[in-house]
Amino acid sequence: MDQHLDSVPAYQRQIYQNGARGQVPLVPMHFEELEKKARRKLSATAFAYVAGGAGQESTQRANRLAFEKWSIQPRMLRDVSRRSLKTTVFGKEWRSPLMLSPVGALGLVHEQADALVARAAARCCTPMVFSNQASVKMETCAALLGDTPHWFQLYWSKSNELVASLVSRAEACGCEAIVVTLDTPLLGWRPRDLQLGSLPFARAIGLAQYLSDPVFQSYLNEVQLRPSGPITLNALGVFYDACRNYGGSLWQNPRTRRPLKAVQQFIDIYSRTDLLWGDLEFLRKHTRLPIVLKGILCAQDARLALESGIDGIWVSNHGGRQVDGARTSLDALREVVAEVKGRAPVFFDSGVRAGADVFKALALGATAVGLGRPFAYGLGLAGEEGVVEVIENTLAELDLTMALAGCCNPDEVRSATLLGHE
Ligand code: FNR
């Protein structure tokens, strides 16, 4: 029997058994409680960065409402005794259709950041997508993940040499796909961070992929620091944090000013606003890995992606963090799936809070579904164990929802009917 097949109901049973002994889960089951508790525990800047969205956060709210517009049809008297969540992606078998979306600057949330997420993902056999803005370099996380699938998410910087270097490192550490996030050529207008004047990267949080990169490091030798403003207590704090997060010697860092050079270089090089479909050819030439485009929100862009020889499409509005008023990711999913017609896998995220949401996204045609903010809160509240709980809770609910809707596997979910749109 599939080892995980029985383990999901067993997980639920275990929770009740623990409860009988007076032991309750570490992190709240319900997303709203999870977020509330994280708000109390995290620093104001960390919470603002994770919880915040673009503008008035209407897209972020709409992402959730979009799920509520769809209803699942429970079915009776079907044999659902033999179930499996297994899903094949790019020829590789995954435990389930759930993966961890790339989430940057996790160093704000927990000292050990991505390393603990990688450990948790490995324990749950759940694929992890390394963020370009990670706080722990990809090689370290890849080693912790072992055989658990991992992908690398790329922000296309102004330097193609850096792009090529990051991609070749991703290949070397066993990443199985490159995800190019297209929706962030500029950082969205995020009032919660703006109100606090807080940008994690200024403190060298979320720069681990750059700082560990030989091409990026070689650029630092040439950086001329621009004059900074008056030295205030806060500025000293930011400088101290940058020196600490840069790594290496806390004695040498302030003298060489390399942490400041790294921050300035990152800000200058981070992204291109003139990237075109034709540029994807460069990536194709530099990697044999499947290329997935993240941030696609309409049929036209899905068509262009397929015409560009792309291997996978990831429907996402970045959790409502980029364009306030953008359409919901779930709404775009239907349109993209209809356009792609099975020619490439279609991944999905934005607004997924529980297993029933994963079910709905699958039923609307997603191949696999990404979890974002919930695991970041799990990390903040209880480190590795918190992430494990968030993943296992989601999978347990997905498995039960599937069974109660009369489905035995994700393929059956994909042909299940959802009711009540519009
Ligand atoms: C993100 N997301 C993101 N995406 C990406 O491609 N690269 C990145 O570095 C990040 N960083 C990041 C940080 C934080 C704090 C959040 C919340 C999100 C977007 C992420 O991959 C995913 O699309 C969203 O998290 C999905 O929305 P929900 O489900 O979290 O609301």
Side-chain angles (χ1 to χ4, degrees), residues 56-263:
Q56 305 308 303
E57 301 182 347
S58 63
T59 293
Q60 206 172 324
R61 286 188 297 278
N63 277 341
R64 286 303 308 146
L65 292 174
F67 279 95
E68 292 184 12
K69 281 194 204 153
W70 290 101
S71 314
I72 295 167
Q73 177 65 69
R75 297 299 307 271
M76 308 301 137
L77 298 179
R78 289 189 169 192
D79 180 358
V80 290
S81 59
R82 295 182 59 78
R83 300 185 304 284
S84 169
L85 290 176
K86 282 185 177 162
T87 299
T88 302
V89 177
F90 296 134
K92 176 126 182 186
E93 192 173 80
W94 290 7
R95 173 188 175 188
S96 85
L98 188 73
M99 60 182 165
L100 301 184
S101 289
V103 171
L106 285 173
L108 277 172
V109 170
H110 195 290
E111 189 75 20
Q112 295 175 64
D114 310 74
L116 295 191
V117 177
R119 278 184 206 279
R123 275 171 61 189
C124 301
C125 305
T126 293
M128 174 175 177
V129 184
F130 303 152
S131 165
N132 199 108
Q133 304 311 130
S135 302
V136 177
K137 66 179 179 184
M138 61 178 106
E139 289 83 359
T140 304
C141 292
L144 292 167
L145 277 152
D147 288 342
T148 302
H150 36 284
W151 294 358
F152 173 65
Q153 174 264 317
L154 174 80
Y155 281 132
W156 199 303
S157 83
K158 290 196 176 71
S159 158
N160 271 5
E161 197 191 5
L162 178 59
V163 167
S165 175
L166 289 168
V167 166
S168 75
R169 286 172 57 197
E171 281 195 4
C173 71
C175 291
E176 293 170 18
I178 303 292
V179 177
V180 190
T181 297
L182 298 177
D183 58 18
T184 320
L186 300 160
L187 206 61
W189 181 256
R190 299 180 189 161
R192 294 200 208 201
D193 295 330
L194 291 162
Q195 193 63 50
L196 295 170
S198 162
L199 182 70
F201 314 116
R203 296 174 190 263
I205 295 174
L207 300 188
Q209 314 294 18
Y210 299 83
L211 302 180
S212 55
D213 193 276
V215 169
F216 184 81
Q217 279 292 345
S218 73
Y219 292 163
L220 300 191
N221 303 331
E222 313 299 323
V223 171
Q224 297 295 324
L225 280 174
R226 290 188 286 268
S228 58
I231 298 172
T232 61
L233 206 58
N234 204 65
L236 282 174
V238 171
F239 179 57
Y240 172 77
D241 280 355
C243 289
R244 214 168 53 91
N245 293 315
Y246 182 83
S249 155
L250 250 186
W251 180 246
Q252 283 299 331
N253 284 347
R255 292 159 175 249
T256 62
R257 306 198 135 218
R258 266 179 108 80
L260 291 187
K261 291 180 181 174
V263 168

Side-chain angles (χ1 to χ4, degrees), residues 102 104 131 153 155 181 294 316 318-319 321 349-351 353 373:
S131 165
Q153 174 264 317
Y155 281 132
T181 297
K294 179 169 181 276
S316 170
H318 215 107
R321 294 164 73 79
D349 75 19
S350 297
R353 299 291 173 258
R373 289 181 175 94

Side-chain angles (χ1 to χ4, degrees), residues 145-418:
L145 277 152
D147 288 342
T148 302
H150 36 284
W151 294 358
F152 173 65
Q153 174 264 317
L154 174 80
Y155 281 132
W156 199 303
S157 83
K158 290 196 176 71
S159 158
N160 271 5
E161 197 191 5
L162 178 59
V163 167
S165 175
L166 289 168
V167 166
S168 75
R169 286 172 57 197
E171 281 195 4
C173 71
C175 291
E176 293 170 18
I178 303 292
V179 177
V180 190
T181 297
L182 298 177
D183 58 18
T184 320
L186 300 160
L187 206 61
W189 181 256
R190 299 180 189 161
R192 294 200 208 201
D193 295 330
L194 291 162
Q195 193 63 50
L196 295 170
S198 162
L199 182 70
F201 314 116
R203 296 174 190 263
I205 295 174
L207 300 188
Q209 314 294 18
Y210 299 83
L211 302 180
S212 55
D213 193 276
V215 169
F216 184 81
Q217 279 292 345
S218 73
Y219 292 163
L220 300 191
N221 303 331
E222 313 299 323
V223 171
Q224 297 295 324
L225 280 174
R226 290 188 286 268
S228 58
I231 298 172
T232 61
L233 206 58
N234 204 65
L236 282 174
V238 171
F239 179 57
Y240 172 77
D241 280 355
C243 289
R244 214 168 53 91
N245 293 315
Y246 182 83
S249 155
L250 250 186
W251 180 246
Q252 283 299 331
N253 284 347
R255 292 159 175 249
T256 62
R257 306 198 135 218
R258 266 179 108 80
L260 291 187
K261 291 180 181 174
V263 168
Q264 183 178 305
Q265 180 65 18
F266 161 72
I267 287 169
D268 289 350
I269 212 176
Y270 155 70
S271 164
R272 274 178 59 182
T273 47
D274 60 351
L275 199 70
L276 297 171
W277 290 99
D279 289 307
L280 295 169
E281 249 181 69
F282 174 85
L283 199 56
R284 183 82 289 164
K285 282 197 193 119
H286 278 79
T287 184
R288 49 180 176 75
L289 296 177
I291 298 172
V292 177
L293 298 185
K294 179 169 181 276
I296 300 291
L297 285 171
C298 66
Q300 295 91 315
D301 282 345
R303 193 179 321 131
L304 288 166
L306 292 179
E307 285 168 10
S308 310
I310 277 329
D311 305 283
I313 289 171
W314 190 325
V315 175
S316 170
N317 60 22
H318 215 107
R321 294 164 73 79
Q322 284 301 96
V323 178
D324 193 30
R327 74 190 300 196
T328 69
S329 201
L330 202 64
D331 179 37
L333 175 64
R334 277 206 308 167
E335 185 181 308
V336 169
V337 165
E339 176 67 31
V340 171
K341 295 190 186 74
R343 286 172 289 171
V346 178
F347 307 104
F348 171 84
D349 75 19
S350 297
V352 174
R353 299 291 173 258
D357 299 334
V358 179
F359 182 101
K360 288 181 184 178
L362 294 176
L364 292 174
T367 307
V369 176
L371 204 56
R373 289 181 175 94
F375 86 79
Y377 291 141
L379 174 71
L381 288 177
E384 177 183 334
E385 295 302 324
V387 180
V388 166
E389 277 195 9
V390 168
I391 295 172
E392 292 299 338
N393 294 345
T394 309
L395 290 179
E397 187 185 327
L398 170 62
D399 173 63
L400 291 174
T401 307
M402 198 169 78
L404 298 171
C407 303
C408 291
N409 56 56
D411 276 339
E412 289 185 14
V413 175
R414 281 186 205 97
S415 46
T417 322
L418 287 190

Side-chain angles (χ1 to χ4, degrees), residues 11 15 23-42 47 352-355 371 373-383 385-395 397:
Y11 174 78
I15 292 176
Q23 188 188 335
V24 295
L26 283 173
V27 300
M29 291 273 164
H30 207 267
F31 180 77
E32 265 129 56
E33 283 305 311
L34 186 70
E35 188 159 66
K36 227 189 261 173
K37 211 168 165 187
R39 175 178 225 140
R40 290 199 293 269
K41 172 141 191 217
L42 298 180
F47 185 75
V352 174
R353 299 291 173 258
L371 204 56
R373 289 181 175 94
F375 86 79
Y377 291 141
L379 174 71
L381 288 177
E385 295 302 324
V387 180
V388 166
E389 277 195 9
V390 168
I391 295 172
E392 292 299 338
N393 294 345
T394 309
L395 290 179
E397 187 185 327

